[in-house]
Amino acid sequence: MSLKVLKFGGSSVGSAEALRRAAAIVHTELPAGGLVVVSALRGSTDRILDACVAAAGGYLAEAQAHLTALRDRHREVATDLGLLPAVAAEWEPLFARLDQLLTGMGMLGEATPRGRDAALAVGETLSAHLVAACFGGTFREVREVMRTDARFGKARPQLADLRAAAAPWREGLATGTLWITQGFLGATAEGLTTTLGRGGSDTSATLLGEALDAEEVQIWTDVDGVLTADPSLVPEARPIPQMSLGEAEALSAFGAKVLHADSLAPGGRAGFRLVVGNTLRPGASRTEILPVSPLREPGAVTSVAYKEGISLLRFPASEGLEPPLEAARQLEEAGALRFGLVSSPAGTLLAVRPDTPAAARVLKALAASGPELEAGWAVVALVGEGLRADPLAALRHLAALGQEPVGGLLTGSSTVSIAFLVPESRLGDLIPRLHDRCVGQPSTHAAPCQKAG
Ligand code: ASP
Ligand code: MG
């Protein structure tokens, strides 16, 4: 029997109305059963984290206020659906447990990563019980199968153990039942609760898809699949009907927000189809991400991605590779994202996004110690399988735009993308023009980049 795994994010289960829509999708997509993976109701994870911070700081009244708000919000949604009586028995111990955890954090004056994960688990578990009641499915505890290491807050799956633990699920699901489980959560071999990192529910769905030999994993979100560009800069951006896993990986690395990078690896290993659909418009176009590339014309660009807030550190050639490598290491450890480290006999360029206050501090300290620092840059990436056959197409585009400062070219090991650095202030003008030129209109979607001039 072919199994499908459907994942619904926080906004798809965030209100009674959204849940009704999601239930209709499940009805259509899983007439013969399957597995549904859910996030916590929108905003719940942040709310629980705020409660932990408040409790650990000794602000118990504030922590309690968060707990009350969380409970009220959940009860309101369940009441709207007429499901409060159906879930109350499962929910009450969860609220009580969160209350105890917060009290414990208050007493200790700290919220350890382990304690935080235990508290966060309440969000996804509340949601999964509600969704099970709403969809007429059976709640299954994901911590029975999602084995991880003990890196609390960003646990890594233990694939062999996960697969072994999932054997009863493979059998159970083969009988055509509908099961609902939590995303984001895992457990160590000793049974301690872990989480996979923020936004980790997509990864839960694809990991479970892999372990359960699913034929398809569907990620339901609130956009029409993966788009050819960011619609806030390019109103004509449109969904990409089919793309390769390589294109999806490059897009998520260079800025597209739809899919979490970690969520793509299981599809590469297991070869299932990954589908991204819009809960608000289930009939609208969706994106299918395939393990093998769909046919692309040489030079064709599938999507234009960008990421702003990039800082450049330039190291003189005379210093060799040690200082830039050490800088990259320190920055990443502090939570910066590295977009490029390019070295030539003329010098070394390190492009990073200092995403945390700690990383911003490290960056400042590094700049004070020698290398030249420039803030205000953005990475722009042209992504497409077509670039494998004609990598220079992307350069022709760039040349044709006759644009001013390009801070550097970042070519990675992936041949499905070419990225370059431009001043952030140029994005609003550059991205629509690049999109128009490279991706163009729907009819020319698969056409190669036009020649320069
Ligand atoms: N609820 C978790 C978060 O907000 C996991 C997820 O939604 O993917 O990060
Ligand atoms: Mg998400």
Side-chain angles (χ1 to χ4, degrees), residues 7 9-10 38-41 43-46 124 183-184 197-202:
K7 180 257 169 178
V38 296
S39 297
L41 267 57
S44 301
T45 301
D46 287 329
E124 261 69 12
F184 188 44
R198 291 307 303 269
S201 295
D202 293 352

Side-chain angles (χ1 to χ4, degrees), residues 27 50 74 76 87 97-98 153 165 168 170 173 179 185 203 222 227 246 285 293 296 300 332 359 368 384 391 427:
H27 193 74
D50 288 347
H74 279 77
E76 194 184 311
V87 292
R97 169 147 176 81
L98 183 54
R170 283 192 294 275
L173 286 162
W179 285 2
L185 313 183
T203 307
D222 49 12
L227 303 184
S285 26
S293 173
R296 301 271 193 243
E332 277 183 272
L427 285 174

Side-chain angles (χ1 to χ4, degrees), residues 286-349:
R286 30 174 102 174
T287 298
E288 275 184 25
I289 299 171
L290 308 167
V292 288
S293 173
L295 210 60
R296 301 271 193 243
E297 297 274 337
V301 169
T302 311
S303 184
V304 180
Y306 70 91
K307 197 84 159 189
E308 48 209 324
I310 307 287
S311 291
L312 307 183
L313 276 175
R314 295 180 196 276
F315 297 80
S318 57
E319 287 188 7
L321 265 179
E322 247 344 287
L325 287 176
E326 175 58 20
R329 202 191 52 73
Q330 283 181 23
L331 282 160
E332 277 183 272
E333 217 172 76
L337 294 178
R338 178 166 46 81
F339 281 87
L341 178 61
V342 192
S343 194
S344 80
T348 301
L349 171 77

